[in-house]
């Protein structure tokens, strides 16, 4: 047998072992339920990832809704697209907290959007929800952590929720089924490059 054939045979054997392990894990994963996903970390792409999941769900015919905290005073490419496909948006629309510099009005705005979130979390017709930048609202004390946790725990069993934002509270991380951390390696803005429409926002 040639050395090339031996390499191919060994490769095939390794891949077969990998396949058997993956197949076993798939066979063992029998529980069906809605998921809580937390996408956190200091890197760019948390909201983008959340919106990607919403787009995927819509593509599968799922009913989705989005609540955006902090952002919302400028044009939103994802909203431009997804609202046309029947995705509901509730937007805080106050901009960044360092722009408003008013804790009372920010808290009131956050509470208004949170009430819409609570409604969504009670709606069995909604399959996937995105609560974009909710982590900040908990960190700043605009939303009560216990109230958020209780609402998440009492949602319909097959409803999935995606929460994005930096500094996710450890309680949300413990509660989540899947947690991803987006790490910042390099960002164009740090080099003085202006945010690009259609890529950055």
């Amino acid at each position: 047998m040639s050395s090339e054939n031996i390499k191919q045979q060994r490769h095939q054997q390794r891949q077969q072992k990998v396949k058997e392990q993956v197949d076993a894990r798939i066979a063992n994963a029998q529980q069906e339920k809605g998921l809580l996903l937390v996408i956190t970390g200091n890197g760019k792409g948390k909201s983008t990832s959340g919106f990607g999941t919403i787009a995927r769900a819509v593509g599968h015919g799922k009913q989705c809704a989005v609540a955006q905290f902090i952002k919302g005073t400028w044009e939103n490419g994802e909203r431009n697209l997804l609202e046309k496909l029947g995705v509901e948006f509730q937007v805080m629309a106050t901009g960044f907290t360092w722009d408003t510099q008013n804790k009372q009005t920010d808290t009131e705005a956050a509470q208004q959007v949170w009430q819409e979130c609570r409604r969504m979390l009670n709606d069995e017709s909604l399959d996937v929800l995105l609560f974009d930048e909710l982590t900040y609202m908990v960190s700043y004390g605009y939303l009560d952590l216990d109230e958020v946790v209780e609402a998440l725990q009492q949602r319909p069993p097959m409803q999935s929720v995606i929460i994005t934002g930096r500094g996710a509270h450890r309680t949300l991380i413990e509660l989540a089924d899947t947690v991803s951390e987006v790490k910042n390696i390099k960002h164009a803005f740090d080099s003085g490059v202006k945010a690009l429409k259609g890529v950055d926002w």
Side-chain angles (χ1 to χ4, degrees), residues 14-201:
R14 285 193 302 269
Q15 293 304 102
Q16 180 59 32
K17 285 181 182 177
V18 171
K19 181 183 184 310
E20 288 170 3
Q21 291 170 353
V22 171
D23 287 348
R25 290 183 70 190
I26 292 171
N28 287 332
Q30 294 300 312
Q31 184 181 4
E32 285 190 35
K33 65 168 194 163
L35 300 175
L36 175 60
L37 297 89
V38 172
I39 307 168
T40 191
N42 294 332
K44 171 181 164 43
K46 298 178 290 294
S47 297
T48 304
S49 177
F51 276 115
T53 304
I54 293 293
R56 172 186 292 154
V58 170
H60 284 296
K62 303 291 186 182
Q63 294 298 311
C64 301
V66 174
Q68 284 192 288
F69 296 90
I70 296 183
K71 298 172 182 174
T73 57
W74 58 88
E75 187 183 6
N76 181 309
E78 295 92 344
R79 184 177 183 181
N80 291 347
L81 174 68
L82 293 169
E83 274 191 330
K84 294 174 186 173
L85 299 173
V87 176
E88 174 191 353
F89 273 72
Q90 296 292 336
V91 181
M92 191 163 148
T94 56
F96 293 110
T97 53
W98 54 82
D99 289 329
T100 62
Q101 300 177 14
N102 188 322
K103 185 166 185 177
Q104 181 180 342
T105 57
D106 285 344
T107 302
E108 289 170 359
Q111 285 290 333
Q112 287 177 2
V113 175
W114 173 242
Q115 293 313 309
E116 298 297 338
C117 293
R118 289 178 64 92
R119 173 184 55 78
M120 294 172 185
L121 288 165
N122 283 315
D123 188 343
E124 290 187 4
S125 73
L126 292 172
D127 301 299
V128 185
L129 308 177
L130 170 59
F131 296 161
D132 188 36
E133 313 284 11
L134 180 136
T135 61
Y136 291 98
M137 303 298 100
V138 172
S139 298
Y140 295 161
Y142 298 171
L143 300 182
D144 180 72
L145 174 64
D146 292 339
E147 186 180 335
V148 171
V149 168
E150 182 181 8
L152 290 168
Q153 289 176 325
Q154 293 181 355
R155 72 187 195 275
M158 289 306 296
Q159 187 183 76
S160 293
V161 180
I162 308 152
I163 293 173
T164 69
R166 294 185 182 204
H169 194 283
R170 64 183 178 277
T171 301
L172 293 176
I173 289 173
E174 290 167 3
L175 184 64
D177 298 288
T178 300
V179 180
S180 297
E181 183 176 14
V182 182
K183 183 178 177 182
N184 188 40
I185 304 296
K186 188 177 182 180
H187 199 300
F189 182 70
D190 295 333
S191 301
V193 179
K194 189 176 180 180
L196 184 63
K197 184 177 182 177
V199 176
D200 288 306
W201 57 280

